[in-house]
Amino acid sequence: MKKMILFLLSATLFSTACNKSAGTANAVLDERVAAGSVVAPTTAPGMFVSNGPSVSGTVKIYETNGKLSLALENFKTDNGPDLHVYLSQEMNPVNFIDLGKLKATSGNQVYDISGMPDFTKFKFALIHCQQFNHLFGSAQLIK
């Protein structure tokens, strides 16, 4: 019985911990990619799919003068304490590139991508809570 109570307490703590409204701004951003940017030809726009917490919007990879950026468009997510944006080879972050902390829980956001990742391998954009290793949502980027 003690084990069952401990398990339920742990599960409740874990499931609510990543929903705390600490860490990510609740303001609505409206960042845009630079004029003349084109969607990177080896990728396709992806729609976010939630993994528990609510996540919605579109993700696109843009190329501007040989530099890549990831754009979250019409984006919205539940808040969490340590949300990051990843490019990942899998739907769960094992082999990934951390693009930085999520700037806001809604709106349009742009993240620089260093280098030229191979998008035949990095097929997913993820919103991930680092502190509790919890995936909020994912979007597939391949054609």
Side-chain angles (χ1 to χ4, degrees):
M1 184 66 163
K2 286 182 182 179
K3 286 183 181 181
M4 177 67 103
I5 292 171
L6 184 59
F7 172 76
L8 290 173
L9 217 75
S10 297
T12 301
L13 177 63
F14 177 77
S15 67
T16 59
C18 250
N19 289 324
K20 292 180 183 174
S21 59
T24 304
N26 284 320
V28 177
L29 283 186
D30 193 21
E31 296 181 334
R32 302 289 176 167
V33 294
S37 298
V38 296
V39 174
T42 58
T43 66
M47 296 294 292
F48 275 102
V49 176
S50 296
N51 186 47
S54 177
V55 179
S56 62
T58 305
V59 61
K60 295 178 184 173
I61 305 296
Y62 285 96
E63 187 173 349
T64 310
N65 299 325
K67 293 185 179 184
L68 297 175
S69 58
L70 179 142
L72 302 178
E73 298 176 348
N74 300 311
F75 178 78
K76 187 168 178 68
T77 185
D78 290 340
N79 209 336
D82 192 20
L83 299 180
H84 283 245
V85 179
Y86 293 165
L87 283 176
S88 180
Q89 293 183 16
E90 307 87 10
M91 280 184 53
N92 288 309
V94 176
N95 300 294
F96 63 90
I97 300 167
D98 186 348
L99 300 182
K101 285 190 170 265
L102 185 68
K103 297 174 184 177
T105 57
S106 62
N108 300 313
Q109 304 170 44
V110 179
Y111 297 84
D112 293 333
I113 300 172
S114 61
M116 295 298 260
D118 180 353
F119 287 103
T120 63
K121 294 180 181 176
F122 289 92
K123 302 175 186 178
F124 299 95
L126 308 178
I127 305 301
H128 187 262
C129 174
Q130 278 191 345
Q131 184 175 355
F132 294 98
N133 191 25
H134 183 72
L135 179 65
F136 272 46
S138 62
Q140 194 166 351
L141 297 167
I142 59 171
K143 293 183 178 185

